[in-house]
Amino acid sequence: MSLPVLVINPNSNDEVTASIDRALDPLRSNDAPPIRCITLKDGPFGIESQRDADVAAVCVGAAVEEQVDNAAAIVIACYSDPGLGAAREITSKPVFGIAETGLATAIMLGGRVGVVSILKKSVDRHWSYARALGLDRRIVADLPVNLSVAELADEASVASKMLDVGRRLRDDHNANVIVLGCAGMARYRERMEAELEISVIDPTQAAVAAALSALRLEYRGERRTNGS
Amino acid sequence: MSLPVLVINPNSNDEVTASIDRALDPLRSNDAPPIRCITLKDGPFGIESQRDADVAAVCVGAAVEEQVDNAAAIVIACYSDPGLGAAREITSKPVFGIAETGLATAIMLGGRVGVVSILKKSVDRHWSYARALGLDRRIVADLPVNLSVAELADEASVASKMLDVGRRLRDDHNANVIVLGCAGMARYRERMEAELEISVIDPTQAAVAAALSALRLEYRGERRTNGS
Amino acid sequence: MSLPVLVINPNSNDEVTASIDRALDPLRSNDAPPIRCITLKDGPFGIESQRDADVAAVCVGAAVEEQVDNAAAIVIACYSDPGLGAAREITSKPVFGIAETGLATAIMLGGRVGVVSILKKSVDRHWSYARALGLDRRIVADLPVNLSVAELADEASVASKMLDVGRRLRDDHNANVIVLGCAGMARYRERMEAELEISVIDPTQAAVAAALSALRLEYRGERRTNGS
Amino acid sequence: MSLPVLVINPNSNDEVTASIDRALDPLRSNDAPPIRCITLKDGPFGIESQRDADVAAVCVGAAVEEQVDNAAAIVIACYSDPGLGAAREITSKPVFGIAETGLATAIMLGGRVGVVSILKKSVDRHWSYARALGLDRRIVADLPVNLSVAELADEASVASKMLDVGRRLRDDHNANVIVLGCAGMARYRERMEAELEISVIDPTQAAVAAALSALRLEYRGERRTNGS
Amino acid sequence: MSLPVLVINPNSNDEVTASIDRALDPLRSNDAPPIRCITLKDGPFGIESQRDADVAAVCVGAAVEEQVDNAAAIVIACYSDPGLGAAREITSKPVFGIAETGLATAIMLGGRVGVVSILKKSVDRHWSYARALGLDRRIVADLPVNLSVAELADEASVASKMLDVGRRLRDDHNANVIVLGCAGMARYRERMEAELEISVIDPTQAAVAAALSALRLEYRGERRTNGS
Amino acid sequence: MSLPVLVINPNSNDEVTASIDRALDPLRSNDAPPIRCITLKDGPFGIESQRDADVAAVCVGAAVEEQVDNAAAIVIACYSDPGLGAAREITSKPVFGIAETGLATAIMLGGRVGVVSILKKSVDRHWSYARALGLDRRIVADLPVNLSVAELADEASVASKMLDVGRRLRDDHNANVIVLGCAGMARYRERMEAELEISVIDPTQAAVAAALSALRLEYRGERRTNGS
């Protein structure tokens, strides 16, 4: 049997992993590699700061080293892409970060991209990373819902806040594709898309889809110059 | 049975269509929509100039209008993305241009992107389009093989020229992912990848893979503001 | 007698051609080549979408090929510059697109450029094109009046809407030069300029003026790499 | 009789003024305002440094103040555009700098712009100014001939050096329009254009042509916010 | 005794010089070169326009030439950096402009930079200069208080206007470091910082601090290519 | 006695710390806070990859938390700026990264910045970070010496390799200020500067100088939005 796409949730919150796992069901097929989601026991419970992301990066590096022989491709399921660079140094199998892949997927759809962030302080990190990726000119706005990752679990009230941000992205900033700026927002995709009538991208779904395509088409991982 | 992904070869060269079609075999699956490739009888025989691309755009627009009810998603298989904007006005089904999608796919793989062009005069159009897409900062070089589309059929001699360009992209410009800047280059992907040991992206494969993912994940097409 | 500057109105609306023609009177002189305006019978009636622009591009290409021997220079009088690239492949005589030339003229005047668009959906195409031209950083805003080309004929009500957009460009976005983003807006230039007290550029006038200068100074057309 | 276009040569070298004056003959017409060239007695003999340009700027400011009532429009004939901002504060008549206008004219012609500079140290100032203008992305290279303004008078040897730079701009950097980066290079335009077979823009000619067009079309000068 | 850091106030307003001088007290030390502030008698009384800045540039050039032997490093204390380029041609001792250094200091502090300008018309010059410096992407907003340099002397009412602008920079534009866009604003730094609770940079202080560091670390001035 | 500037060497190589410490002597003064350098026992021995940098970031975060009460300001002495974002979340005291500060210092000196990197693979990380900082347009080239951090200890042969890179930065890329892209290169600064005759910036020196200035001028650390 073929090796799975390994989806690493870099935080230690099993509920988030379970919700990610459910959201990936549409991508499962008898005719494709399996998809396996894991929680990093040593990761921070939520990734709400640069420091959390730094800790997560190290945990991801360790997990990739440990698990890479049992995976055909790897997805890092946190919108800060922690450990992405390290993972690509460790293995030449394809590794996908959900921020990088989510934004690229939105661009493929022709979009003026709007991003939904959890916290105001995430917004700065997002812009800095988008500049590093050279993709910032395609993002029309990045707006926070101002919820902690914990609060995201309270679906009823969260949904209306996210819809509100989605409407502002669409109507005030002319976004025509929305990227959810957190792996924990997966469960809200369907609702938002139904209400807003524009594509809403769960970046974990996008990255797993990209990983499955990469396996079919036998893309290599990025070639990191090594030795020198 | 589900509607196919429709791949439109905007030129009237059936051989190119056949070669595109063969290259898509790895993406075919019992568990996915079929992939159907068509040639545009009225399209130019090859698309080597802006004028060719303009003519192709109109043919693509007409073909999309005529065929859209029989397709679940559409891929425009010419690296100028002719008719992409028009197609997105005609339908809200997802439409992919191979240049836009090929570049975004290379970005997903973390790449410093090198592009192989057919002709020197294609290079300017490519840069202008990459600027329009806001993706130019990720492209490290775009180098021509200086062959006409017709010459591309002569595999033996073409392969060595393409490898030569590929090596310059990798070694002189530090590219770590290569995008083939023409749908007619599909047959050279495997050979180049084996020799260069970096990912070589056939943008038609990339766009069809993206279309299949979009269908699984039920992305909408870009929402073009209409009426006003 | 010297060959004329040929102004091609790519739509099939003779009234628009007539209004363009009148607006060019200040540029007519016994000491300069004549200015001749033509309507493209096969063009779309108005150019309000990318698809319209694609069709217009092909019509312009055909017209340029047919008429180029009877013209000293060519102006394409539609703010999408349809067929501009093709025209420059067909002839080495100077060819001007009104968007490219209108923006460059505004820059010459030292301006923070504001653009008046017809429709909201034109705005996206404008920004994409301005990025392709590398001129987007000089444009402070591009705002739509949200009128169809047809409605533009109703002068009384249109004028007040255009003035309103002009005031917002000047006062809210600090524009000090305005470019009319449609050849059909020529008749409103004078009124806007009188009210707003800043330069308002009718891009067709600007392009014809540039063509006359190019002929006096014997500029060549852009040298499109040919053969390869 | 109508007021002239006043061309200010900001250096005190009468021979340069005379050569500029001759180069403007093709723009003279009975049907257009006269063109009058003046030398600034107090200006530096040549403008080869930022300090020279600073001194020139003050001289230009004084000259504009003194002469503006006798001019319909003003052209500042030095590729550093000294005093351009000040002139636009002094008068609302149109004022053109030859660098700003030369680059914008090259852009109108669709060009990938190459610039010929006098000295290596001019190159930095040019790039800095092009960034300030937001036009740097259209300039493919700026190469020096490394001659002092004085040496420019020795036509025989200068011509071959300039042609050499022109060929490198065209062949190595793919420029298809060349802008002469000094008002004193006017006399070489014809020769270069004949040899290189691409447009070579003398920016003083371009700016005077723009001034004549601006007068015909009654453009205002840039509206500098005043009072506050 | 060691040569001083020479701070040139390019305007002729002795009160401004005195206020600059006082603000530099925290940088004075027995263990560092002295700091000496001078007023340019021939400079404009205030620098409120490009023309003022042009005149100031020439005065600064002359002062640098005259004084450079008596200085270890030079600071030009006007936010237009008049004469900065010329000064670096005259001497290879380090020369600092307060705009360039103020912005770079804000960047060192990790900031999203907000700039307080005196007048609305200063804002355009600031953006143009920031583009020339290649630093514009770090500036989130540049807002004017709309006071003349003279009015800046009336502390009571000025302070509240500056605080108001500071609050808008911090709250509406998310600035986390503020740069005072005029040497004459030095006296308001402390008050603003206390109220706003974010760093407020007096660029003259920043530039003198940079000059003192440059002397300790024996940095050279920028090497301006000379001769050619 | 006043709290020191704490310089954190994020690797565990005491010799590098000792060499950093020596290079800071010119900044020590009776009239300024002391400078204290520490080695991170748990850090990687050298920081040659993204993974090393990730590990270092976590170690720096922990060290800052532990030591911040005993420091007035903090400098992170590794050219990847590991842990910089986290440190600014932990404390509102000023924290400086040597890459960010080294580049900003070079910009203050008016420079076209050249960077000397240790390894080819460092170059990509540097460019990505420079884009994130919005400072990439000021960097003219980033060239590797291709030495491991260990090899850097062998002074005799290293010096000639670094000089070679320095000459290429200055002569081929027109750099006029060089930034040493590694804290371990400090000992080569003097030699390079003497040979190249342009400023060579040891970014650790630059960052400590900036920290001392920040303390004198009482700058706050960046205000990281907290809570939300």
Side-chain angles (χ1 to χ4, degrees):
Chain A
M1 188 193 152
S2 62
L3 289 173
V5 172
L6 182 71
V7 180
I8 300 175
N9 171 17
N11 67 39
S12 58
N13 186 333
D14 281 323
E15 282 193 39
V16 169
T17 314
S19 118
I20 288 171
D21 194 78
R22 273 192 304 278
L24 298 173
D25 279 343
L27 295 166
R28 292 189 159 101
S29 155
N30 290 330
D31 200 26
I35 299 163
R36 190 178 149 233
C37 300
I38 63 171
T39 307
L40 291 197
K41 295 279 175 270
D42 302 332
F45 187 70
I47 297 175
E48 302 189 5
S49 65
Q50 184 59 49
R51 195 175 184 195
D52 291 340
D54 289 351
V55 171
V58 172
C59 297
V60 167
V64 168
E65 194 161 59
E66 196 185 297
Q67 305 272 354
V68 69
D69 289 343
N70 303 317
I74 290 170
V75 167
I76 301 169
C78 165
Y79 200 75
S80 298
D81 289 354
L84 179 60
R88 286 173 175 168
E89 291 165 346
I90 293 166
T91 180
S92 62
K93 292 179 181 177
V95 186
F96 294 87
I98 66 169
E100 186 173 65
T101 313
L103 291 172
T105 300
I107 286 169
M108 278 180 183
L109 292 171
R112 292 179 298 286
V113 185
V115 178
V116 183
S117 289
I118 304 187
L119 301 172
K120 192 178 173 191
K121 71 182 175 185
S122 326
V123 172
D124 293 326
R125 281 189 284 126
H126 290 174
W127 278 115
S128 178
Y129 187 49
R131 280 202 302 261
L133 292 174
L135 301 179
D136 51 302
R137 280 177 297 181
R138 287 295 288 274
I139 300 171
V140 296
D142 185 320
L143 301 179
V145 281
N146 281 324
L147 297 163
S148 70
V149 171
E151 287 176 295
L152 282 172
D154 174 12
E155 296 209 17
S157 77
V158 173
S160 76
K161 289 200 180 182
M162 288 189 63
L163 272 169
D164 186 52
V165 168
R167 273 192 208 97
R168 285 163 50 212
L169 289 169
R170 185 193 63 187
D171 299 338
D172 300 351
H173 298 276
N174 207 18
N176 65 356
V177 183
I178 285 176
V179 174
L180 301 177
C182 174
M185 291 175 176
R187 74 191 73 177
Y188 302 96
R189 187 197 149 201
E190 207 170 337
R191 212 172 311 186
M192 286 185 75
E193 203 157 49
E195 288 273 351
L196 299 174
E197 298 186 312
I198 59 177
S199 283
V200 175
I201 293 176
D202 166 19
T204 314
Q205 287 183 324
V208 172
L212 292 169
S213 298
L215 293 175
R216 271 198 188 275
L217 294 171
E218 297 182 26
Y219 293 144
R220 291 150 189 269
E222 185 193 356
R223 183 185 180 237
R224 292 271 156 152
T225 325
N226 47 30
S228 62
Chain B
M1 189 191 152
S2 63
L3 289 173
V5 171
L6 181 70
V7 180
I8 300 175
N9 171 18
N11 68 40
S12 58
N13 187 333
D14 280 323
E15 283 194 36
V16 169
T17 313
S19 118
I20 287 171
D21 194 80
R22 273 192 304 278
L24 297 174
D25 279 343
L27 295 167
R28 291 189 160 99
S29 155
N30 290 329
D31 199 27
I35 300 163
R36 187 176 154 237
C37 300
I38 63 171
T39 308
L40 291 197
K41 296 279 176 271
D42 301 332
F45 188 71
I47 297 175
E48 302 189 6
S49 64
Q50 184 58 50
R51 196 177 182 193
D52 291 339
D54 289 350
V55 171
V58 172
C59 297
V60 167
V64 168
E65 194 162 59
E66 196 185 296
Q67 306 273 355
V68 69
D69 289 343
N70 303 316
I74 291 171
V75 167
I76 301 170
C78 165
Y79 201 76
S80 298
D81 290 354
L84 179 60
R88 287 173 174 165
E89 292 165 347
I90 293 167
T91 179
S92 63
K93 294 179 179 177
V95 186
F96 294 88
I98 67 169
E100 186 173 64
T101 313
L103 291 172
T105 300
I107 286 169
M108 277 179 185
L109 291 170
R112 292 180 297 288
V113 185
V115 178
V116 183
S117 288
I118 304 187
L119 301 172
K120 192 177 172 190
K121 71 180 174 184
S122 325
V123 172
D124 293 326
R125 281 188 283 126
H126 290 174
W127 278 114
S128 177
Y129 187 49
R131 280 202 303 262
L133 292 174
L135 301 179
D136 50 301
R137 280 176 297 182
R138 288 295 288 274
I139 300 171
V140 296
D142 186 320
L143 301 178
V145 282
N146 281 324
L147 297 163
S148 69
V149 170
E151 287 175 296
L152 281 172
D154 174 13
E155 296 208 17
S157 75
V158 173
S160 76
K161 289 200 180 182
M162 288 188 62
L163 273 169
D164 186 54
V165 167
R167 274 192 207 96
R168 284 163 52 212
L169 288 169
R170 186 193 63 187
D171 299 338
D172 300 350
H173 297 277
N174 208 19
N176 65 356
V177 182
I178 285 176
V179 174
L180 301 177
C182 174
M185 292 174 174
R187 74 190 74 177
Y188 301 96
R189 186 196 151 204
E190 208 171 335
R191 213 172 310 187
M192 286 185 76
E193 203 158 49
E195 287 272 351
L196 299 175
E197 297 186 314
I198 58 176
S199 283
V200 175
I201 292 176
D202 167 19
T204 315
Q205 286 183 325
V208 172
L212 292 169
S213 298
L215 293 175
R216 271 200 187 274
L217 294 171
E218 297 182 25
Y219 293 144
R220 291 149 191 269
E222 183 192 355
R223 181 181 181 242
R224 291 272 155 153
T225 324
N226 47 31
S228 62
Chain C
M1 189 191 152
S2 63
L3 289 173
V5 172
L6 181 71
V7 179
I8 300 175
N9 171 17
N11 68 40
S12 57
N13 186 333
D14 281 322
E15 282 193 37
V16 169
T17 314
S19 117
I20 287 172
D21 194 78
R22 272 192 304 277
L24 297 173
D25 280 343
L27 295 167
R28 291 188 160 100
S29 156
N30 289 330
D31 199 27
I35 300 162
R36 188 177 151 233
C37 300
I38 63 171
T39 307
L40 290 197
K41 296 279 174 272
D42 300 332
F45 186 71
I47 297 176
E48 302 189 5
S49 66
Q50 184 60 49
R51 195 176 183 194
D52 291 338
D54 290 350
V55 171
V58 172
C59 297
V60 166
V64 167
E65 195 162 57
E66 197 186 295
Q67 306 273 354
V68 69
D69 289 343
N70 302 316
I74 290 170
V75 167
I76 301 169
C78 164
Y79 199 76
S80 298
D81 289 353
L84 179 60
R88 287 174 173 165
E89 291 165 347
I90 293 167
T91 179
S92 63
K93 293 179 181 177
V95 186
F96 294 87
I98 66 169
E100 187 174 64
T101 312
L103 291 172
T105 299
I107 286 169
M108 277 180 186
L109 292 171
R112 294 181 297 288
V113 185
V115 179
V116 183
S117 289
I118 303 188
L119 301 171
K120 192 177 174 191
K121 70 181 175 184
S122 325
V123 171
D124 293 326
R125 281 189 284 126
H126 289 175
W127 278 115
S128 178
Y129 186 49
R131 280 202 303 262
L133 292 174
L135 301 178
D136 51 302
R137 280 178 296 182
R138 287 295 287 274
I139 300 171
V140 296
D142 185 320
L143 302 179
V145 281
N146 281 324
L147 297 163
S148 70
V149 170
E151 287 176 296
L152 282 173
D154 174 12
E155 297 209 15
S157 75
V158 173
S160 76
K161 289 199 180 184
M162 289 189 61
L163 273 169
D164 186 52
V165 168
R167 272 192 209 98
R168 284 163 52 211
L169 289 169
R170 186 193 62 186
D171 298 339
D172 300 351
H173 297 277
N174 206 19
N176 65 356
V177 182
I178 285 176
V179 174
L180 300 177
C182 175
M185 291 174 175
R187 75 190 73 177
Y188 301 96
R189 187 196 149 202
E190 208 171 336
R191 212 171 311 187
M192 287 186 75
E193 203 157 47
E195 287 273 351
L196 300 174
E197 297 186 313
I198 58 177
S199 283
V200 174
I201 292 175
D202 167 19
T204 314
Q205 287 183 324
V208 172
L212 292 169
S213 297
L215 293 176
R216 272 200 187 273
L217 294 170
E218 298 182 26
Y219 292 144
R220 291 149 191 269
E222 185 192 355
R223 182 183 181 241
R224 292 271 155 153
T225 324
N226 47 30
S228 61
Chain D
M1 190 192 152
S2 62
L3 288 173
V5 171
L6 181 70
V7 180
I8 299 176
N9 171 17
N11 67 41
S12 57
N13 186 332
D14 280 323
E15 283 193 37
V16 169
T17 313
S19 117
I20 288 171
D21 194 79
R22 273 193 302 278
L24 298 174
D25 279 343
L27 295 167
R28 291 189 160 100
S29 156
N30 289 330
D31 200 25
I35 300 163
R36 188 177 152 234
C37 300
I38 62 170
T39 307
L40 291 197
K41 298 279 175 269
D42 301 332
F45 187 71
I47 297 175
E48 302 188 6
S49 65
Q50 184 59 50
R51 196 176 182 194
D52 291 340
D54 289 350
V55 171
V58 172
C59 297
V60 167
V64 168
E65 195 162 58
E66 195 184 298
Q67 305 273 354
V68 68
D69 289 343
N70 303 316
I74 290 171
V75 167
I76 300 170
C78 164
Y79 201 75
S80 299
D81 290 353
L84 179 59
R88 287 174 173 164
E89 291 166 347
I90 293 167
T91 179
S92 63
K93 294 179 180 177
V95 186
F96 294 87
I98 67 169
E100 186 174 64
T101 312
L103 291 172
T105 300
I107 287 169
M108 277 180 185
L109 292 171
R112 294 179 298 287
V113 185
V115 178
V116 183
S117 288
I118 303 188
L119 301 171
K120 193 177 173 191
K121 70 181 175 184
S122 326
V123 171
D124 293 327
R125 280 188 285 127
H126 290 175
W127 277 114
S128 178
Y129 187 49
R131 281 201 303 262
L133 292 174
L135 301 179
D136 51 300
R137 281 176 298 181
R138 287 295 288 274
I139 300 171
V140 295
D142 185 320
L143 302 178
V145 281
N146 280 324
L147 297 163
S148 69
V149 170
E151 288 175 293
L152 282 172
D154 175 13
E155 296 209 16
S157 76
V158 173
S160 76
K161 289 200 180 181
M162 289 188 63
L163 272 169
D164 186 54
V165 168
R167 273 192 207 96
R168 285 162 52 212
L169 289 169
R170 184 193 63 186
D171 298 339
D172 299 352
H173 297 277
N174 208 19
N176 65 356
V177 182
I178 285 177
V179 174
L180 300 177
C182 175
M185 291 174 174
R187 74 190 75 176
Y188 301 95
R189 187 197 150 201
E190 208 171 335
R191 214 172 310 187
M192 287 186 76
E193 202 156 51
E195 288 271 351
L196 300 174
E197 297 186 314
I198 59 177
S199 284
V200 174
I201 292 175
D202 167 19
T204 314
Q205 287 183 325
V208 172
L212 292 168
S213 297
L215 293 176
R216 272 198 186 276
L217 294 170
E218 297 181 26
Y219 292 144
R220 291 150 190 267
E222 184 193 355
R223 183 186 180 238
R224 291 271 155 151
T225 323
N226 46 30
S228 60
Chain E
M1 189 192 153
S2 63
L3 289 173
V5 171
L6 181 70
V7 180
I8 299 175
N9 171 16
N11 67 41
S12 57
N13 187 333
D14 281 322
E15 283 193 38
V16 169
T17 313
S19 117
I20 288 171
D21 194 79
R22 273 193 303 277
L24 298 173
D25 279 343
L27 294 167
R28 292 190 160 98
S29 156
N30 290 329
D31 200 26
I35 300 163
R36 188 177 152 234
C37 299
I38 63 171
T39 307
L40 291 196
K41 297 277 174 272
D42 301 332
F45 187 72
I47 298 176
E48 302 188 6
S49 65
Q50 184 59 49
R51 196 177 182 193
D52 291 338
D54 289 351
V55 171
V58 172
C59 297
V60 166
V64 168
E65 195 162 57
E66 196 186 296
Q67 306 273 354
V68 69
D69 289 343
N70 303 317
I74 290 170
V75 167
I76 300 169
C78 165
Y79 200 76
S80 298
D81 290 353
L84 179 60
R88 287 172 174 167
E89 291 165 347
I90 293 167
T91 179
S92 63
K93 294 180 180 175
V95 185
F96 294 87
I98 66 169
E100 187 173 64
T101 312
L103 291 172
T105 300
I107 286 169
M108 278 180 184
L109 292 172
R112 293 180 299 287
V113 186
V115 179
V116 183
S117 289
I118 303 188
L119 301 172
K120 193 176 173 192
K121 71 181 173 182
S122 326
V123 171
D124 293 326
R125 280 188 285 128
H126 290 175
W127 278 114
S128 178
Y129 186 50
R131 280 202 303 262
L133 293 174
L135 301 179
D136 51 302
R137 281 177 297 182
R138 287 295 287 275
I139 299 171
V140 296
D142 185 321
L143 302 179
V145 281
N146 280 324
L147 296 164
S148 69
V149 171
E151 288 176 294
L152 282 173
D154 174 13
E155 296 209 17
S157 75
V158 173
S160 76
K161 288 200 181 183
M162 288 189 63
L163 273 169
D164 186 51
V165 168
R167 274 194 207 95
R168 285 162 53 212
L169 289 168
R170 185 192 64 185
D171 299 339
D172 299 352
H173 297 277
N174 208 18
N176 65 356
V177 183
I178 285 176
V179 174
L180 300 178
C182 175
M185 291 175 176
R187 75 191 73 175
Y188 302 96
R189 187 196 151 204
E190 208 171 334
R191 213 172 310 187
M192 287 185 76
E193 204 157 48
E195 287 273 351
L196 299 174
E197 298 187 314
I198 59 177
S199 283
V200 174
I201 292 176
D202 167 18
T204 314
Q205 287 184 324
V208 172
L212 291 169
S213 298
L215 293 176
R216 273 200 186 273
L217 294 170
E218 298 182 24
Y219 292 144
R220 290 149 190 270
E222 184 192 356
R223 182 185 181 239
R224 291 271 156 153
T225 326
N226 47 30
S228 62
Chain F
M1 190 191 152
S2 64
L3 289 174
V5 171
L6 182 70
V7 180
I8 300 175
N9 171 17
N11 67 40
S12 58
N13 187 333
D14 281 322
E15 283 194 38
V16 169
T17 313
S19 117
I20 288 171
D21 193 79
R22 272 193 303 279
L24 298 173
D25 280 343
L27 295 167
R28 291 189 160 98
S29 155
N30 290 329
D31 199 27
I35 301 163
R36 187 176 153 237
C37 300
I38 63 171
T39 307
L40 290 197
K41 296 279 174 269
D42 301 332
F45 187 71
I47 297 175
E48 302 189 5
S49 65
Q50 183 60 48
R51 197 177 181 192
D52 291 338
D54 290 350
V55 171
V58 173
C59 298
V60 167
V64 168
E65 195 162 58
E66 198 185 294
Q67 306 272 354
V68 69
D69 289 343
N70 302 316
I74 290 171
V75 167
I76 301 169
C78 165
Y79 200 75
S80 297
D81 290 352
L84 179 60
R88 287 174 175 167
E89 291 165 347
I90 292 167
T91 179
S92 63
K93 293 180 181 177
V95 186
F96 295 87
I98 67 169
E100 186 174 65
T101 313
L103 291 173
T105 300
I107 286 168
M108 276 180 185
L109 292 171
R112 292 180 298 287
V113 185
V115 179
V116 183
S117 289
I118 304 187
L119 301 171
K120 193 179 173 187
K121 70 181 175 185
S122 326
V123 172
D124 293 327
R125 280 188 284 126
H126 290 175
W127 277 115
S128 178
Y129 186 49
R131 280 202 303 263
L133 292 174
L135 301 179
D136 51 301
R137 280 176 298 181
R138 287 296 288 273
I139 300 171
V140 296
D142 186 320
L143 302 179
V145 281
N146 281 323
L147 297 163
S148 69
V149 171
E151 288 176 293
L152 281 173
D154 174 11
E155 295 209 16
S157 74
V158 173
S160 75
K161 288 200 181 183
M162 288 188 62
L163 273 169
D164 186 53
V165 168
R167 274 192 207 95
R168 285 163 53 213
L169 289 169
R170 184 193 62 185
D171 299 338
D172 300 352
H173 297 277
N174 207 19
N176 64 357
V177 182
I178 285 176
V179 174
L180 301 178
C182 175
M185 291 175 175
R187 74 190 74 176
Y188 301 96
R189 188 198 150 202
E190 206 171 337
R191 212 172 311 187
M192 287 186 75
E193 203 158 49
E195 288 272 349
L196 299 174
E197 297 186 316
I198 58 177
S199 283
V200 175
I201 292 175
D202 167 19
T204 314
Q205 286 182 326
V208 172
L212 292 169
S213 298
L215 293 176
R216 271 199 187 275
L217 294 170
E218 297 182 26
Y219 293 144
R220 291 150 189 268
E222 183 192 357
R223 183 187 181 236
R224 292 270 155 152
T225 326
N226 48 30
S228 61

